[in-house]
Every structure is written in C-alpha cells, then in structure tokens.
Amino acid sequence: MFQQWAADNGYAVLEINEESHLIDNSKFCVTIKDAKKISPTYPLRFRFRNCEICYQDFDITLGGFGYRCMTCRKFAEDVKQNK
Ligand SMILES: [Zn+2]
C-alpha cells in the first residue's frame, strides 16, 4: 500500500529506514488525515509530518509525538499539568 502511494506521489523508490522503520517521505509531509488514508494501520510510520495543531511540517526523529510537533507537544503537556 505504501508503494502505491509512493508511485502516486512521485517517489521512484520509497525509502524506509531500517532502524526506525520510518518512511523517508521528505518530499511530501503528511497530515494525520493523509496518513490514516494512506495507511490506516500504520499512520505513525511517516517521518515527515504536518502538525495537527499548528500545521507546521516537522521531522518526528527530531522531536514531537504522534502528529504534534515539539512545540505543540510541550503545550499539550503544560495543559495536562494545569488540570
Ligand atoms: Zn505544532
């Protein structure tokens, strides 16, 4: 399913990191919605993601969680602590 998506989006070969098992989709950052459409079972396999809160593209290997970038993740944690 990833390969079909890759072909549709202009990737000749879809690189998957052997260690992290993340898809190196550097040309096309995905939103959580896109990811679930492309792969309902593995929406967290994409390395380059679009934050669900601030809509900035980010690299999950540098920080963040799920489809939240580092900044928004921190914000979510702050909100939780204030409850
Ligand atoms: Zn964000």
Side-chain angles (χ1 to χ4, degrees), residues 50-56 58 67-73:
N50 188 270
C51 177
E52 63 180 346
I53 295 177
C54 70
Y55 306 111
Q56 292 288 318
F58 69 102
Y67 277 77
R68 288 185 185 182
C69 70
M70 291 168 253
T71 317
C72 296
R73 183 193 180 183

Side-chain angles (χ1 to χ4, degrees), residues 5-79:
W5 171 82
D8 292 347
N9 285 280
Y11 292 93
V13 178
L14 195 59
E15 300 283 344
I16 298 180
N17 186 290
E18 286 184 16
E19 267 173 51
S20 63
H21 298 288
L22 289 170
I23 296 164
D24 186 12
N25 59 313
S26 53
K27 285 185 217 165
F28 184 83
C29 292
V30 293
T31 61
I32 181 69
K33 242 175 144 185
D34 292 334
K36 283 183 175 166
K37 223 185 287 171
I38 300 159
S39 171
T41 342
Y42 303 107
L44 300 176
R45 293 285 289 277
F46 296 92
R47 179 174 170 189
F48 295 93
R49 306 175 183 184
N50 188 270
C51 177
E52 63 180 346
I53 295 177
C54 70
Y55 306 111
Q56 292 288 318
D57 292 338
F58 69 102
D59 178 349
I60 192 65
T61 64
L62 302 178
F65 183 76
Y67 277 77
R68 288 185 185 182
C69 70
M70 291 168 253
T71 317
C72 296
R73 183 193 180 183
K74 194 176 175 300
F75 177 72
E77 283 170 358
D78 290 347
V79 169

